[in-house]
Amino acid sequence: MSWTVVVTVAGSMIGTLAGVLVGGFLTRRGQSQHWRTDTKAAAYRNLLREYARVEFDLRRAYLGTIPVTDVDWSRWGGALTEVSLVADEEVVAALTPVGVALLDIDAQVHSGRRDEVEWESLLRALVAAQVAFVNAARRSLDRAQPDLTLALGGPLIPERPAADG
């Protein structure tokens, strides 16, 4: 057998084996990335669902339609824990002000005071924090997604007409 044939056959085998190994590595990496993205999206969806539930309960408690003690924080805490397992640092940093805003609202509700100006200020801070979190979550799922500029969900805050002069 000539050395040319041996080298050609050996080179073909090595090339095929290298192709299989590289293909397997790239496939595994792609599947792992897909799994991470799906897992993040599920955690973010769950967190936003629990955010809406807690925010809604806090509003109802503020309005006196449910007792303050009926606001259930346990599922919110569970959703936070779930996000902490998969979220990027940017997402966690954006989520922190949401928690702070919810706690500020909770403190207002527990105080029993009905100060509409302060309440509206707390809601605006919450909406801004929620939009920042949603944008960070969107970027963590796909860097090409543009930021949202409008709030979707959460408290509805009526626009006040601009003062003349």
Side-chain angles (χ1 to χ4, degrees):
M1 185 182 289
S2 91
W3 282 103
T4 306
V5 172
V6 171
V7 169
T8 302
V9 170
S12 295
M13 290 172 54
I14 291 170
T16 300
L17 182 58
V20 168
L21 290 174
V22 169
F25 172 76
L26 292 176
T27 299
R28 183 174 178 269
R29 194 170 118 190
Q31 287 175 337
S32 179
Q33 179 63 33
H34 184 71
W35 176 85
R36 276 193 304 274
T37 300
D38 286 351
T39 303
K40 284 180 183 181
Y44 298 160
R45 275 192 308 272
N46 185 42
L47 182 96
L48 288 170
R49 184 175 31 259
E50 294 310 322
Y51 157 83
R53 190 187 53 74
V54 166
E55 183 273 324
F56 185 71
D57 284 352
L58 286 170
R59 266 191 291 149
R60 292 187 327 154
Y62 179 76
L63 296 172
T65 61
I66 66 169
V68 175
T69 55
D70 281 1
V71 177
D72 179 14
W73 288 92
S74 63
R75 293 194 325 215
W76 167 255
L80 284 175
T81 301
E82 183 180 356
V83 166
S84 74
L85 292 173
V86 297
D88 303 327
E89 191 74 24
E90 176 191 8
V91 173
V92 173
L95 184 53
T96 300
V98 174
V100 169
L102 285 171
L103 290 175
D104 288 345
I105 289 172
D106 184 62
Q108 173 73 15
V109 169
H110 274 85
S111 75
R113 290 177 303 161
R114 295 287 303 262
D115 181 338
E116 294 303 318
V117 172
E118 184 178 356
W119 181 250
E120 186 176 315
S121 174
L122 292 169
L123 292 180
R124 286 187 187 282
L126 179 61
V127 168
Q130 186 249 354
V131 169
F133 164 72
V134 166
N135 284 330
R138 288 165 56 96
R139 282 190 300 276
S140 103
L141 296 172
D142 179 1
R143 292 274 174 208
Q145 286 198 66
D147 282 353
L148 296 178
T149 57
L150 302 172
L152 183 62
L156 300 176
I157 305 168
E159 290 298 318
R160 297 199 185 274
D164 291 333

